[in-house]
Amino acid sequence: MSKRDKTAELRKQLFQLLKERAFRRGRIVLASGRESDFYFDMKPAMLDPDGVALMVELILQEIQEVKADCVGGLEMSAVPLSAPIAMRSPDFGRRLPGFFVRKAVKDHGTKKRVDGADIAGKTVIILEDVTTTGGSAMDAVKAVQEAGAKVALVLAILDRGEGAAELYAKAGIPFTSLFRAEEFLAVI
């Protein structure tokens, strides 16, 4: 099986898993404050052995050509992905230590907003489970920039197609996603 065929098969498997475990219909208020009649709850898929394995494999394939030193993002969406990506990255010919950005600095301990790998002076990839307007991942972008890192890419598992791509383009930050909401809406 060619690399392209393998990627297509992995993507098909993850699509099916997300369709079954992450996609929901019904009124909900999103993190952006917008209301929607559909929702993607990635946590059940991200914390499932098959789901995380598929996501990590596809993410590592997607970022093969991206020059970066570390991978992470805003808690809670990036935490279930950054550790297994860090663990599997040597299988893809590189070491990508993980980090996460706290939503708020704790009042004890090291009081760091960015925890895990030391990202100062490094180039990083920001992970996000679902993007709508892109605001949550942009918080992580700002935090890592304040910590002295450069952002090479923001990568989402799923982009709802409601402004995130435009936000990152305007900021000059490359953005991609493994899936777009419209792919699911077309078949569900």
Side-chain angles (χ1 to χ4, degrees), residues 9-141:
E9 180 58 30
L10 293 172
R11 194 175 187 288
K12 180 180 167 186
Q13 290 173 25
L14 182 55
F15 182 89
Q16 185 63 34
L17 189 140
L18 294 178
K19 190 170 94 170
E20 294 169 3
R21 299 189 190 161
F23 183 77
R24 303 286 178 265
R25 288 233 184 238
R27 296 299 295 165
I28 191 157
V29 176
L30 305 170
S32 65
R34 295 180 182 186
E35 284 191 24
S36 178
D37 63 352
F38 67 93
Y39 181 66
F40 289 90
D41 180 2
M42 289 293 175
K43 303 315 181 276
M46 290 167 55
L47 295 169
D48 175 85
D50 296 331
V52 73
L54 289 165
M55 287 179 199
V56 167
E57 184 79 18
L58 287 168
I59 289 169
L60 284 165
Q61 287 180 16
E62 183 70 31
I63 65 172
Q64 268 301 102
E65 304 303 318
V66 177
K67 303 276 190 241
D69 305 302
C70 304
V71 62
L74 195 62
E75 67 172 349
M76 182 65 212
S77 59
V79 172
L81 295 173
S82 57
I85 288 171
M87 183 180 77
R88 286 284 323 279
S89 64
D91 297 340
F92 285 75
R94 65 203 284 194
R95 293 180 43 79
L96 288 171
F99 68 90
F100 69 96
V101 177
R102 296 181 190 282
K103 290 181 182 173
V105 176
K106 292 167 43 172
D107 62 358
H108 61 282
T110 61
K111 299 183 182 180
K112 293 189 286 187
R113 177 128 194 251
V114 179
D115 213 340
D118 179 7
I119 63 169
K122 306 246 172 83
T123 301
V124 304
I125 295 169
I126 300 291
L127 302 172
E128 180 68 288
D129 57 354
V130 178
T131 55
T132 301
T133 63
S136 294
M138 188 57 89
D139 287 346
V141 166

